[in-house]
């Protein structure tokens, strides 16, 4: 399926809940938010119906997100059913890792293709500061379980915060002895992310090169998105950068998002798209037409650097899915 600017849209980020076991400072307020009622969240059968329509329109890859997707009961079962939809080639999950160790066996049985683990530091006190929960030991157990799972594509996503070179260097070190990708994400000014003191890819690269040597560009594709990858001398894994702010990549955008309430969101920055939930009472044809119309009108690019932007997204990241 192509959007109004000729971009192929084949990747959907599916949020299954707005709830979370952590309270990351750039994502959720300390007191949480008003959680959605269970009745406001799409039922699994509705999600599967919508995904069959998306798949018929050309979506091939699904990322399960949240809130924290592993807090919703039965996510592994949902993944197994999504894997069985004709046309879906890949189902992956992004998680904070707190419940990963316990749930990984079921996720693997369901056929999960990859896991992105969000982790910003290996320092326990610093982790508690960022996430407002003392949960690093559980997350590390999840990480170890994931890197021991044969064939599982594992990526670590670090939202890079200014002046935290020791965190970046320690995290990158995980790719030395393990075949995984450690990716550094520039904080985006969405929701609470706008309050964060930012740093850029250039700052992070300088810190990593001082610690480990020159980063060499790695030109093969490793994922579905805009990350650029590099190798380091004697490293098994790769280092990646997702720099939406300093290196805008909207011209290659391949994705749309479906929120836990059934809103099809066509660009991270704007509150534009289509509310599919009311249409669930009608036909598949009407849903398909609404999806096509929303994708046709997908915005051309974000304007993160501008202060006043029409239709700017007012939701926080945990309500959108990242
Ligand atoms: N709870 C899961 C997790 O943390 O992976 C899934 C949802 S979380 C909203 C998805 C991703 O968005 C995480 O990797 C998180 O670090 C990232 N994220 C949240 N707020 C962000 C921001 N303001 N800028 C950049 N990334 C952000
Ligand atoms: Fe939860 Fe993920 Fe947001 Fe952190 S980034 S508060 S783990 S949803």
């Amino acid at each position: 399926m192509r959007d109004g600017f000729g971009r192929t849209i084949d990747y959907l980020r599916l949020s299954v809940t707005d709830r979370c076991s952590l309270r990351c400072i750039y994502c959720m307020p300390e007191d949480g938010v008003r959680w959605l009622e269970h009745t406001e969240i799409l039922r699994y059968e509705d999600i599967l119906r919508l995904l069959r329509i998306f798949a018929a329109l050309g979506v091939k890859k699904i990322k399960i997100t949240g809130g924290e997707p592993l807090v919703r009961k039965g996510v592994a079962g949902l993944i197994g059913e999504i894997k069985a939809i004709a046309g879906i080639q890949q189902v992956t999950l992004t998680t904070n890792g707190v419940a990963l160790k316990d749930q990984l066996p079921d996720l693997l049985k369901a056929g999960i293709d990859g896991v992105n683990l969000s982790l910003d530091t290996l320092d326990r006190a610093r982790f508690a500061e960022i996430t407002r929960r003392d949960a690093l030991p559980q997350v590390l157990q999840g990480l170890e379980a994931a890197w021991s799972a044969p064939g599982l594509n594992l990526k670590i996503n670090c939202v890079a915060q200014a002046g935290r070179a020791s965190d970046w260097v320690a995290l990158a070190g995980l790719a030395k002895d393990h075949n995984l990708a450690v990716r550094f994400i520039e904080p985006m000014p969405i929701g609470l992310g706008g309050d964060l003191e930012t740093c850029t890819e250039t700052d992070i690269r300088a810190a990593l090169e001082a610690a480990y040597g020159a980063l060499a560009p790695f030109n093969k594709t490793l994922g579905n998105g805009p990350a650029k990858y590099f190798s380091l001398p004697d490293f098994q894994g790769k280092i990646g950068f997702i720099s939406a702010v300093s290196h805008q990549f909207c011209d290659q955008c391949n994705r749309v998002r479906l929120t836990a309430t059934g809103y099809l969101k066509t660009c991270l920055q704007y509150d534009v798209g289509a509310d599919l939930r009311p249409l669930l009472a009608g036909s598949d044809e009407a849903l398909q037409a609404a999806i096509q119309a929303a994708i046709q009108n997908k915005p051309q690019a974000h304007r993160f650097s501008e202060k006043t932007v029409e239709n700017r997204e007012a939701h926080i990241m945990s309500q959108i899915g990242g």
Side-chain angles (χ1 to χ4, degrees), residues 38-305:
H38 288 297
T39 50
E40 294 175 89
I41 288 184
L42 290 187
R43 297 172 305 169
Y44 283 161
E45 60 196 86
D46 294 329
I47 289 177
L48 290 166
R49 178 180 169 206
L50 288 170
L51 292 192
R52 283 186 204 104
I53 298 171
F54 277 104
L57 288 170
V59 165
K60 298 182 172 65
K61 298 163 206 162
I62 308 288
K63 171 88 72 207
I64 313 290
T65 178
E68 170 50 37
L70 298 184
V71 304
R72 183 159 175 188
K73 258 201 198 134
V75 163
L78 175 71
I79 289 171
E81 299 210 47
I82 298 174
K83 289 278 299 184
I85 295 176
I88 298 295
Q89 296 171 357
Q90 189 191 78
V91 183
T92 55
L93 170 88
T94 176
T95 173
N96 63 27
V98 173
L100 185 59
K101 179 171 177 265
D102 288 347
Q103 296 197 31
L104 192 63
D106 287 341
L107 293 169
L108 292 169
K109 244 183 262 159
I112 188 99
D113 294 292
V115 168
N116 288 10
L117 178 70
S118 301
L119 180 60
D120 299 342
T121 179
L122 292 174
D123 178 281
R124 187 167 176 172
R126 173 83 186 133
F127 180 96
E129 240 172 68
I130 297 171
T131 66
R132 304 192 181 100
R133 298 287 185 273
D134 179 24
L136 183 64
Q138 289 103 291
V139 175
L140 293 182
Q141 286 177 3
L143 174 61
E144 283 165 27
W147 75 39
S148 310
L152 183 71
N153 185 354
L154 180 60
K155 295 180 182 137
I156 295 176
N157 286 339
C158 162
V159 174
Q161 293 168 51
R164 301 302 312 185
S166 58
D167 288 336
W168 311 332
V169 169
L171 282 166
L174 295 173
K176 188 167 174 41
D177 298 323
H178 300 279
N179 186 18
L180 49 80
V182 178
R183 311 188 312 168
F184 296 93
I185 302 176
E186 283 180 359
M188 288 179 274
I190 301 269
L192 304 165
D195 300 339
L196 221 55
E197 207 187 322
T198 55
C199 56
T200 64
E201 180 179 327
T202 313
D203 305 327
I204 305 163
R205 287 179 65 150
L208 300 189
E209 293 199 324
Y212 298 118
L215 286 157
F218 178 75
N219 293 323
K220 285 193 210 135
T221 313
L222 284 184
N224 302 318
K228 282 179 300 184
Y229 289 97
F230 295 84
S231 309
L232 276 168
D234 304 325
F235 271 50
Q236 280 189 41
K238 299 284 173 274
I239 304 298
F241 296 95
I242 303 179
S243 310
V245 184
S246 68
H247 296 67
Q248 192 174 47
F249 37 67
C250 301
D251 57 332
Q252 299 152 42
C253 189
N254 60 349
R255 65 195 55 198
V256 290
R257 296 170 166 81
L258 185 63
T259 70
T261 61
Y263 189 84
L264 171 62
K265 196 172 153 45
T266 51
C267 176
L268 191 53
Q269 187 178 19
Y270 309 93
D271 187 13
V272 293
D275 191 3
L276 302 180
R277 188 188 172 82
L279 304 180
L280 285 166
S283 66
D284 283 6
E285 288 70 27
L287 281 164
Q288 177 167 329
I291 293 168
Q292 281 173 309
I295 289 178
Q296 185 63 26
N297 290 319
K298 178 174 159 70
Q300 185 171 22
H302 73 65
R303 287 188 281 148
F304 283 149
S305 53

Side-chain angles (χ1 to χ4, degrees), residues 20 22-24 27 67 96 318:
C20 188
L22 302 180
R23 295 284 179 279
C24 301
C27 182
N96 63 27
S318 58

